[in-house]
Amino acid sequence: DAKTTQPPSMDCAEGRAANLPCNHSTISGNEYVYWYRQIHSQGPQYIIHGLKNNETNEMASLIITEDRKSSTLILPHATLRDTAVYYCIVSGVGNQFYFGTGTSLTVIP
Amino acid sequence: NAGVTQTPKFRVLKTGQSMTLLCAQDMNHEYMYWYRQDPGMGLRLIHYSVGEGTTAKGEVPDGYNVSRLKKQNFLLGLESAAPSQTSVYFCASSYWDSTEAFFGQGTRLTVV
């Protein structure tokens, strides 16, 4: 079973930051938080992942709370191409990714 | 690099027919996975492999078999297709534990 809870949908104005929350209150010490997105019916695309510390790459930032029970994916300047379903996944040993239903993000012009 | 390639991209089967979906990766990844995605739902893990010659069951393994005879290939078999197996199938691979997974573009299977 997916170990995360995400809002089913969110809207964001183009050019603004999109902040996508994820709750993973049962995360264990050796589990990472991953974010993927799926545009239309394409294969999911990796965005970012982290264990304890906040992470940033060219696509996004990942903020993990100190107790690790929740995290937020930040897309700093959302564009129309960022409209997609975003999946927050918790995974550890064996690297088995269990996807939930994700958050459908719509970027509005 | 082609990444992860799935064959075929589309297929229509009659109930009871068998078929094999092929997943090939050229990144020398240890881990490979098969998922299915039904309309309005997230991906569900069918089977996975943590290395050549190994396979393991995921969330929804019934009705499917897999084989990983070569490191670069992961085959998903349907011995007797059923309409409930109509879905989009995604293959993925990753180098090791805690590394990012790369996905193929999917196979749309319809069982009539």
Side-chain angles (χ1 to χ4, degrees):
Chain A
D1 290 337
K3 305 177 186 178
T4 63
T5 304
Q6 299 177 253
S9 64
M10 293 180 63
D11 293 337
C12 177
E14 187 177 18
R16 304 296 293 267
N19 296 278
L20 290 86
C22 180
N23 183 291
H24 32 80
S25 57
T26 60
I27 191 170
S28 61
N30 63 350
E31 290 183 315
Y32 288 75
V33 179
Y34 295 81
W35 284 85
Y36 284 77
R37 72 181 182 184
Q38 188 175 27
I39 298 173
H40 296 301
S41 299
Q42 299 176 16
Q45 175 191 23
Y46 167 83
I47 302 173
I48 198 168
H49 76 284
L51 183 62
K52 293 182 180 180
N53 301 321
N54 298 337
E55 302 287 344
T56 296
N57 63 21
E58 65 278 4
M59 289 181 67
S61 295
L62 173 60
I63 308 298
I64 303 174
T65 58
E66 191 170 346
D67 63 8
R68 303 212 318 129
K69 293 184 177 182
S70 65
S71 61
T72 301
L73 177 74
I74 302 172
L75 307 178
H77 305 286
T79 71
L80 298 180
R81 290 191 298 271
D82 292 322
T83 292
V85 177
Y86 287 78
Y87 296 99
C88 170
I89 301 162
V90 166
S91 180
V93 174
N95 215 27
Q96 303 162 41
F97 294 100
Y98 290 98
F99 289 73
T101 52
T103 296
S104 179
L105 175 69
T106 301
V107 180
I108 302 170
Chain B
N1 281 350
V4 179
T5 304
Q6 294 184 227
T7 309
K9 290 184 171 50
F10 303 92
R11 185 73 184 269
V12 178
L13 282 180
K14 294 182 179 179
T15 297
Q17 286 185 319
S18 64
M19 78 163 294
T20 300
L21 282 67
L22 171 63
C23 177
Q25 53 95 2
D26 61 2
M27 297 172 282
N28 200 34
H29 284 170
E30 293 292 333
Y31 289 70
M32 297 188 74
Y33 318 82
W34 275 107
Y35 291 88
R36 62 175 288 173
Q37 185 173 33
D38 300 312
M41 298 181 66
L43 283 74
R44 291 184 292 170
L45 183 64
I46 305 172
H47 285 280
Y48 65 99
S49 168
V50 300
E52 182 178 314
T54 74
T55 63
K57 294 180 180 180
E59 297 174 89
V60 289
D62 294 342
Y64 304 95
N65 56 76
V66 288
S67 64
R68 183 103 181 264
L69 299 179
K70 293 183 179 180
K71 186 177 183 179
Q72 64 268 33
N73 296 334
F74 195 29
L75 279 61
L76 178 71
L78 286 74
E79 291 187 350
S80 179
S84 61
Q85 294 178 304
T86 293
S87 189
V88 180
Y89 292 85
F90 288 101
C91 176
S93 71
S94 62
Y95 181 69
W96 202 244
D97 193 355
S98 75
T99 59
E100 68 182 277
F102 294 81
F103 283 79
Q105 288 306 299
T107 296
R108 293 185 176 276
L109 175 66
T110 302
V111 182
V112 297

